[in-house]
């Protein structure tokens, strides 16, 4: 895939964050490791010479914006923040320790038609994300699109585009900082989640069998 191709949308999940139980989750920023991974990706993007040809879109959550901003700067673009691209709403539980969070996430994906402990339903988060993707595509008809968002809603988007049932088997690898791409015309994924470090590897863009 040519990253500068306006017929393709590249979705990137934010990488590692600084976990702080005293801070609202949407306000968490990238950790040093996460920021370094983004900086290294931005260096590669800077070599693409796509100024004026690419649009960088981000969820309004801090960790997503901190992922998008260096990439946008490298591409000579501004960040188009979209509030509706936020992660699934988890305010009912707030911060959860790792083990409790993983159990809750399992339940979220396993029961997409139900609100698990007050979390936004998976089907609602999926519909919201898909609607916003369609809206931003309409707003940037001639630009290559790079969307910086989150793992759970990114997985829900992938499931919708791939025509598969919501299931955590399609979730991104641990740690965040992963990508997949889909075709704007067919609305089919070209690949499944892979670490951002693989984005420029030869053949990384091809994925015929999901």
């Amino acid at each position: 895939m040519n990253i500068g191709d306006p017929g393709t949308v590249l979705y990137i999940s934010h990488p590692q964050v600084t976990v702080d139980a005293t801070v609202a989750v949407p306000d968490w920023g990238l950790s040093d490791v996460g920021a370094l991974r983004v900086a290294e990706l931005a260096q590669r993007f800077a070599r693409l010479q796509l100024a004026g040809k690419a649009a960088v879109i981000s969820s309004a959550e801090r960790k997503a914006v901190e992922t998008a901003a260096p990439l946008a700067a490298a591409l000579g673009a501004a960040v188009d923040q979209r509030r509706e691209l936020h992660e699934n709403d988890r305010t009912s539980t707030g911060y959860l320790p790792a083990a409790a969070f993983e159990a809750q996430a399992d339940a979220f994906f396993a029961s997409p038609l139900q609100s698990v402990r007050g979390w936004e339903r998976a089907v609602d988060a999926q519909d919201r994300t898909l609607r916003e993707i369609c809206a931003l595509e309409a707003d940037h008809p001639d630009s290559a699109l790079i969307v910086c968002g989150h793992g759970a809603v990114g997985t829900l988007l992938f499931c919708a585009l791939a025509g598969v049932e919501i299931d955590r088997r399609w979730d991104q690898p641990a740690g965040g900082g992963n990508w997949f791409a889909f075709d704007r015309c067919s609305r089919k994924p070209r690949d499944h989640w892979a670490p951002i470090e693989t984005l420029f590897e030869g053949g990384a863009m091809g994925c015929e069998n999901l």
Side-chain angles (χ1 to χ4, degrees):
M1 182 198 81
N2 180 351
I3 293 176
D5 178 6
T8 301
V9 179
L10 175 63
Y11 190 99
I12 297 174
S13 67
H14 68 79
Q16 291 90 338
V17 300
T18 299
V19 176
D20 187 342
T22 68
V23 175
V25 175
D27 295 328
W28 287 356
L30 297 182
S31 67
D32 290 344
V33 171
L36 179 60
R37 293 180 68 195
V38 171
E40 291 174 347
L41 183 61
Q43 289 179 355
R44 291 187 167 191
F45 273 30
R47 304 188 191 114
L48 297 177
Q49 298 181 342
L50 291 178
K53 300 178 181 179
V56 179
I57 299 94
S58 172
S59 154
E61 293 193 31
R62 178 182 170 188
K63 47 191 171 286
V65 174
E66 290 183 358
T67 301
L71 304 183
L75 295 170
V79 177
D80 178 3
Q81 292 188 34
R82 301 279 182 140
R83 300 193 65 84
E84 291 302 297
L85 290 178
H86 65 79
E87 186 59 290
N88 61 303
D89 189 341
R90 307 167 179 172
T91 53
S92 62
T93 60
Y95 166 77
L96 293 172
F101 173 80
E102 291 301 324
Q104 176 75 3
D106 285 343
F108 169 78
F109 280 100
S111 303
L113 297 177
Q114 299 177 15
S115 173
V116 182
R117 295 179 62 190
W119 276 20
E120 180 182 17
R121 297 191 310 165
V123 290
D124 294 332
Q126 183 183 62
D127 289 346
R128 164 176 57 79
T129 303
L130 187 57
R131 285 196 307 271
E132 194 62 21
I133 290 292
C134 292
L136 67 87
E137 286 179 332
D139 290 343
H140 301 281
D142 301 316
S143 298
L145 297 181
I146 299 167
V147 182
C148 297
H150 307 273
V153 291
T155 298
L156 296 174
L157 173 65
F158 175 88
C159 290
L161 297 171
V164 298
E165 293 185 1
I166 293 173
D167 192 303
R168 203 177 185 190
R169 64 177 289 213
W170 303 109
D171 199 6
Q172 68 169 347
N178 297 287
W179 70 275
F180 70 87
F182 67 90
D183 183 85
R184 289 175 77 166
C185 182
S186 68
R187 307 201 68 78
K188 295 297 183 183
R190 295 186 173 182
D191 19 57
H192 188 232
W193 288 116
I196 54 177
E197 288 77 12
T198 70
L199 187 52
F200 288 84
E201 290 182 357
M205 296 300 182
C207 182
E208 300 300 327
N209 299 308
L210 298 175

